[in-house]
């Protein structure tokens, strides 16, 4: 009995809410029509201003209705989809989070977590990177020239290279 009453109350409240929205929209449309006729007849700037306000109110109602529909669509897509899509949604969310920079260490060694501070640290880093001058343009090639292509490691050096890394190293 209690559940039945609760269901009817919810149903009635939903019906009244929808009816109220429809009448509000209808009233605004009627008022817009009336103001358009009045403006066409008189050309008054006061009527034009009032007409623009009513059009803006109608636009706001439409935008709020569209926002609610989008939210409901997203909810249906993520919640009421088959299990495979839920797993896909979870993976997409993980990938999005993995690509975001949530914390960064500054030059002073302190961890920065605020978005504005992270942007400042990155800005400083790239400013310094792009304003610094190379000592010599040949620097990368100079190191390559020191080694010959035909140089071969001795057996003792190759054994050392294959050994696991020790604590001293």
């Amino acid at each position: 009995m209690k559940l039945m009453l609760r269901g009817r109350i919810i149903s009635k409240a939903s019906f009244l809410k929808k009816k109220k929205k429809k009448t509000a929209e209808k009233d605004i449309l009627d008022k817009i029509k009336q103001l358009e006729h009045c403006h066409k007849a008189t050309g008054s700037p006061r009527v034009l201003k009032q007409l623009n306000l009513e059009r803006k109110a109608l636009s706001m109602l439409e935008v709020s209705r569209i926002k609610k529909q989008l939210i409901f669509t997203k909810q249906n897509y993520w919640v009421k989809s088959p299990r495979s899509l839920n797993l896909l949604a979870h993976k997409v969310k993980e990938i999005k989070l993995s690509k975001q920079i949530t914390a960064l260490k500054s030059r002073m060694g302190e961890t920065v977590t605020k978005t504005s501070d992270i942007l400042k640290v990155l800005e400083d880093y790239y400013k310094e990177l792009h304003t610094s001058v190379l000592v010599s343009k040949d620097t990368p090639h100079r190191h390559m020239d020191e080694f010959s292509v035909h140089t071969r490691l001795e057996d003792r050096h190759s054994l050392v290279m294959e050994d696991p890394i020790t604590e001293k190293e």
Side-chain angles (χ1 to χ4, degrees):
M1 180 77 170
K2 186 176 179 182
L3 290 174
M4 190 172 79
L5 285 174
R6 189 167 138 202
R8 285 189 180 176
I9 291 171
I10 291 171
S11 174
K12 185 69 173 180
S14 176
F15 172 75
L16 292 174
K17 187 175 179 182
K18 287 178 186 176
K19 186 177 177 182
K20 184 179 176 183
K21 284 182 182 179
K22 282 183 183 178
T23 56
E25 189 172 342
K26 187 179 178 205
D27 290 344
I28 290 174
L29 285 171
D30 290 341
K31 197 167 185 181
I32 287 174
K33 282 182 185 179
Q34 181 187 14
L35 288 170
E36 283 175 344
H37 289 297
C38 185
H39 179 66
K40 192 173 185 181
T42 62
S44 170
R46 184 181 59 81
V47 174
L48 179 63
K49 187 176 180 180
Q50 200 173 13
L51 178 63
N52 286 335
L53 288 174
E54 291 299 322
R55 284 181 178 162
K56 189 173 183 178
L58 179 65
S59 176
M60 294 301 288
L61 278 176
E62 289 175 354
V63 167
S64 66
R65 188 181 74 237
I66 290 170
K67 280 183 180 179
K68 287 178 184 176
Q69 287 174 346
L70 280 173
I71 290 170
F72 186 71
T73 302
K74 286 180 185 178
Q75 180 184 5
N76 281 340
Y77 179 74
W78 295 107
V79 175
K80 295 183 180 179
S81 60
R83 181 168 168 72
S84 60
L85 288 179
N86 284 340
L87 293 173
L88 175 66
H90 183 68
K91 287 292 181 189
V92 167
K93 193 173 183 181
E94 281 181 3
I95 290 170
K96 272 185 171 179
L97 290 175
S98 70
K99 291 183 179 183
Q100 291 178 349
I101 299 174
T102 55
L104 196 63
K105 282 196 176 183
S106 67
R107 290 188 119 210
M108 283 53 143
E110 58 189 33
T111 304
V112 178
T113 56
K114 284 186 181 177
T115 306
S116 59
D117 295 339
I118 290 173
L119 289 173
K120 181 70 177 157
V121 168
L122 289 172
E123 182 182 340
D124 293 343
Y125 171 77
Y126 282 107
K127 263 187 193 172
E128 184 180 331
L129 179 69
H130 291 291
T131 57
S132 63
V133 179
L134 289 174
V135 177
S136 170
K137 291 183 179 180
D138 300 331
T139 304
H141 302 293
R142 184 174 46 114
H143 296 294
M144 295 301 291
D145 292 339
E146 290 178 9
F147 299 104
S148 171
V149 175
H150 302 291
T151 304
R152 180 167 154 62
L153 288 174
E154 295 177 12
D155 289 335
R156 64 185 174 101
H157 291 294
S158 62
L159 289 174
V160 169
M161 294 292 285
E162 291 174 5
D163 285 345
I165 297 175
T166 63
E167 288 182 20
K168 290 181 183 178
E169 295 174 327

